[in-house]
């Protein structure tokens, strides 16, 4: 009986081991298949990464140059290979991008290799990149300012009208970039396209891109800013071109500080050109061309000549390009002559002092006052008032003297005078 039980036990063990062996074999096959699929095969994959373009401050310092690129960042297609289960885990943060400037040793446009490497703990290899390089320009940086000119067809106005000087939102721009290109710039300008706007009688307003003469596509490397804000690049400038009516204006001058009682016939004024051809706004109330002001203190006896620049008259555009100066000749009647009146320091009245201050007149530029008066006026009959205002202090203590003739409105003071005043 015991022997029979032993035989049954042995058969049971053998059956169990056979079952275990079969299960183990099945599991081994499954593991082998999974391992073959996920570990044994090497796969490749391509992803797109975006990298900021940084070519290295160290290179700039060593070569005393800067780099200029047409873009701030670049999209790179990176191909890499590795085990399938590794490839699936890789993203753009697992790469390191370097722009290799080691070969840069001169100015000019150069191709800079892009080096992409594995920057993670994952086991994969970078096998290719596209693009494999970028173009950049290397040069010494230069900054220069340019007046902005406006190019336009001056025939786009109605008959009897003319264009005035354009008014720009930016009349000067600051250009910075490679010295080689900035040196080539001859001028900055705007090109006006009137389109169908012809026979204009009203001001024309528009905006145009900034262009540079002497340089072509290289202008892409340039940075243009306004002179008031050098941090924000600009590409265009707005403007208004006035449309002016053509008129003929008589020439005139303003006489300042004229004696109230002077006989108008005693003073005559002649001009080297009595009238000018000009352009004025239709809405402007301009009936004569006032070319300047003459103070009576500068008018002496006989003939007095004054030259005036007429190229920049307020509200008037001169149409004669060859005319720049007009001479005004002021003639004083021979019935007037110079008369000299002696003065002394104590005659000066000082104004503009505080209650705690005192003034001491230490010197006069002249100790006589010259007046222009009719011949029949006696010098001794003239009463003068001499005042000095010191409310605006002078470093040299010299102040202008205001001279007034109190008892004759047909007399004026010739020339100017000063007093040296110490204030304590």
């Amino acid at each position: 009986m015991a022997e029979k039980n032993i035989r049954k036990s042995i058969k049971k063990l053998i059956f169990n081991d056979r079952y275990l062996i079969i299960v183990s074999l099945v599991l081994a096959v499954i593991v082998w298949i999974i391992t073959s699929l996920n570990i044994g095969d090497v796969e490749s994959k391509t992803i797109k990464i975006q990298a900021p373009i940084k070519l290295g401050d160290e290179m700039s310092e060593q070569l005393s140059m800067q780099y200029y690129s047409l873009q701030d960042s670049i999209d790179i297609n990176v191909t890499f290979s590795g085990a399938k289960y590794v490839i699936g885990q890789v993203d753009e943060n697992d790469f390191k991008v370097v722009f290799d400037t080691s070969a840069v040793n001169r100015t000019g446009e150069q191709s800079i290799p892009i080096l992409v490497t594995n920057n993670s703990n994952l086991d994969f290899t970078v096998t290719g990149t596209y693009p494999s390089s970028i173009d950049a320009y290397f040069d010494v940086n230069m900054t220069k300012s340019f007046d902005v000119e406006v190019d336009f067809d001056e025939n786009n106005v109605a008959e009897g009208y003319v264009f005035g000087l354009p008014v720009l939102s930016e009349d000067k721009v600051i250009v910075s970039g490679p010295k080689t290109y900035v040196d080539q710039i001859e001028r900055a300008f705007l090109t006006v396209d009137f389109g169908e706007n012809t026979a204009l009688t009203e001001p024309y307003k528009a905006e145009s891109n900034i262009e540079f003469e002497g340089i072509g596509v290289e202008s892409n490397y340039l940075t243009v800013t306004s002179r008031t804000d050098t941090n924000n690049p600009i590409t265009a400038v707005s403007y208004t071109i006035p449309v002016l009516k053509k008129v003929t204006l008589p020439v005139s001058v303003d006489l300042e500080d004229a004696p109230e009682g002077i006989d108008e016939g005693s003073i005559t004024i002649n001009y080297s050109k009595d009238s000018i051809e000009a352009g004025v706004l239709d809405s402007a109330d301009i009936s004569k061309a006032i070319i300047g002001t003459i103070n009576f203190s500068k008018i002496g006896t006989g003939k007095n000549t004054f030259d005036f620049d007429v190229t920049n008259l307020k509200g008037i555009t001169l149409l004669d390009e060859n005319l720049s100066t007009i001479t005004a000749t002021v003639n004083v009647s021979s019935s007037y002559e110079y008369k000299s009146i002696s003065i002394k320091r104590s005659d000066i009245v000082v104004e503009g002092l505080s209650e705690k201050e005192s003034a001491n007149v230490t010197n006069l530029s002249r100790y006589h006052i010259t007046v222009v008066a009719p011949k029949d006026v006696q010098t001794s009959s003239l009463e003068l008032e001499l005042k000095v205002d010191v409310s605006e202090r002078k470093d040299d203590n010299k102040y202008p003297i205001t001279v007034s003739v109190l008892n004759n409105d047909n007399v004026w003071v010739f020339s100017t005078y000063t007093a040296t005043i110490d204030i304590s």
Side-chain angles (χ1 to χ4, degrees), residues 335-341 371-383 405 407-412:
S335 62
Y336 281 79
E337 64 181 10
Y338 292 117
K339 297 179 184 293
S340 181
I341 304 173
V371 297
V372 180
K375 291 181 178 180
D376 58 358
V377 172
Q378 299 297 316
T379 303
S380 58
S381 67
L382 297 175
E383 182 181 351
V405 180
N407 60 342
N408 194 314
D409 60 4
N410 197 18
V411 176
W412 69 90

Side-chain angles (χ1 to χ4, degrees), residues 4 21 89 94 199 408:
K4 188 177 181 179
I21 291 171
Q89 301 178 57
D94 295 319
N408 194 314

Side-chain angles (χ1 to χ4, degrees), residues 100-224:
D100 183 11
T101 59
S102 60
V104 176
N105 56 12
R106 59 179 175 81
T107 61
E109 190 169 67
Q110 300 178 55
S111 181
I112 306 301
I114 301 174
L115 306 180
V116 182
T117 57
N118 183 343
N119 192 40
S120 72
N121 295 324
L122 299 174
D123 185 15
F124 67 89
T125 303
V126 176
T127 59
T129 59
Y130 181 83
S132 59
S133 64
I134 63 168
D135 291 331
Y137 194 92
F138 295 85
D139 203 346
V140 176
N141 188 67
M142 183 177 187
T143 299
K144 192 173 181 180
S145 65
F146 293 88
D147 293 328
V148 180
E149 302 176 12
V150 184
D151 291 352
F152 58 94
D153 185 352
E154 297 186 4
N155 296 317
N156 278 40
V157 289
E159 185 176 353
Y161 288 82
V162 65
F163 283 119
L165 294 176
V167 179
L168 287 70
S169 61
E170 299 290 344
D171 59 0
K172 188 183 292 288
V173 292
I174 307 300
V175 180
S176 61
K179 183 178 185 299
T180 302
Y181 294 143
V182 176
D183 278 339
Q184 296 177 20
I185 299 176
E186 297 174 8
R187 69 184 184 112
F189 66 97
L190 311 174
T191 300
V192 179
D193 182 5
F194 289 106
E196 298 180 355
N197 296 292
T198 59
L200 294 169
T201 59
E202 298 292 333
Y204 181 76
K205 299 180 181 181
E207 181 180 84
S208 296
N209 289 332
I210 303 168
E211 301 177 71
F212 298 101
E213 189 170 298
I215 192 171
V217 295
E218 295 87 352
S219 61
N220 291 332
Y221 288 116
L222 303 177
T223 299
V224 183

Side-chain angles (χ1 to χ4, degrees), residues 224-245:
V224 183
T225 64
S226 72
R227 59 179 172 178
T228 56
D229 185 359
T230 56
N231 293 321
N232 296 316
I234 59 175
T235 58
V237 171
S238 58
Y239 51 86
T240 299
I241 307 178
V243 176
L244 310 174
K245 188 175 183 178

Side-chain angles (χ1 to χ4, degrees), residues 261-269 296 299-302 304 330-336 372 374 410 412:
I262 193 171
D263 183 1
E264 291 184 2
S266 301
I267 302 290
T268 59
I269 304 176
F296 254 78
I299 300 175
T301 59
N304 305 264
V330 180
N331 296 289
V332 178
S333 168
S334 59
S335 62
Y336 281 79
V372 180
N410 197 18
W412 69 90

